[in-house]
Amino acid sequence: MASHVSKLTLHSKVRLSSGFDMPVLGFGVYMAHGEDVINSVYHALKTGYRHIDSATLYENEREVGIAIKKWIEDTGGKREDVFYTTKIWDTDQGYKNAKKAINWSLRECDLGYIDLYLIHSPYPGRDMRLETWKAMEEAVAEGKIKSIGVSNYGIKHLKELEKNAKIQPAVNQLEIHPFLVRSELVDYCQNHNIVVEAFCPITRGQKFKDPRVQAVVAKHNKTPAQVLLRWSLQRGLVPLPKSTKPERIEENADLFDFELDDDDMKSLTTDEYYVIDWDPTNTA
């Protein structure tokens, strides 16, 4: 399980079904606002992250854009160096609303285009989901968005797209960690060329003291967050840790000088269904 990932680096990327490449480690900005977002995203980019995950719900798309543009200006970097994701919230779903929401997000971030645009959840129902997807497909054709995907989708929601969509989702973003493994759903995605991103990958610290985590921490002399993030990477996931603290931002990127062996992976992987955030995957 471990052998194919030893050569991963902070700059490694995964190829999406859309043909674009996405960095294997992302940086989340949920619940961060104002100067905190600008400073943390800037520091993340300075640390070497090249993948930033926002959403309309987070109310910080503008600040994320400011930080990315500042980093580009200060370093001589390019827009295409940074992979920027945002998501459409439930109340903006439906064809006409989605078209407006996409344009709103484009204006807010002011980055010229969006690398990845996701349906944030399946809660609004089948018709709204499919109308929203149609608007997203049109935005791809118009060059506003490079890749499109979903978040919190269960297998039945993915099958719905498989039957009705012109463009299949490149990504499904889910809460995943060793205490919420979702093996069947992850296998389905990976077998259908859908890259799985993991939010809450370090359990918001709730499982740092779990003896199974602590045993691997002691063995590798790494932090609980680093062990949990490495587990994600070695499962073939794209984890999205978040922090506004510079030292944590750096710690969460320091994942590429060690490797979990098969015993570590097995001992960490539980059959629990421990939801930390929310779980829309079983909705109608």
Side-chain angles (χ1 to χ4, degrees), residues 64-100:
V64 170
I66 288 168
I68 292 171
K69 288 182 292 182
K70 182 177 187 322
W71 177 82
I72 289 169
E73 190 179 330
D74 290 354
T75 63
K78 298 173 185 165
R79 165 66 185 91
E80 52 267 33
D81 294 338
V82 181
F83 189 96
Y84 172 71
T85 302
T86 192
K87 313 175 194 80
I88 184 167
W89 183 237
D90 294 357
T91 51
D92 290 326
Q93 286 202 40
Y95 179 73
K96 284 184 181 173
N97 282 345
K99 288 185 90 68
K100 286 180 193 167

Side-chain angles (χ1 to χ4, degrees), residues 15 23 25 28 30-31 36 51 55 60 72 76 78-79 88 91 102 131 146 158 161 163 190 201 242 245 254:
R15 174 66 51 93
L25 181 68
Y30 177 53
M31 296 290 284
D36 277 351
H51 173 182
N60 58 21
I72 289 169
K78 298 173 185 165
R79 165 66 185 91
I88 184 167
T91 51
I102 291 163
E131 281 186 27
K146 302 287 188 191
L158 295 170
L161 275 180
K163 286 179 194 162
Q190 292 178 339
K242 70 161 287 277
K245 296 175 180 168
D254 185 17

Side-chain angles (χ1 to χ4, degrees), residues 4 26 33-34 46 81 84-85 98 101 107 123 157 250 268 274:
H4 72 288
H33 300 287
K46 226 166 67 171
D81 294 338
Y84 172 71
T85 302
R107 282 195 305 273
Y123 276 142
H157 308 122
E250 291 163 26
L268 286 168
Y274 185 85

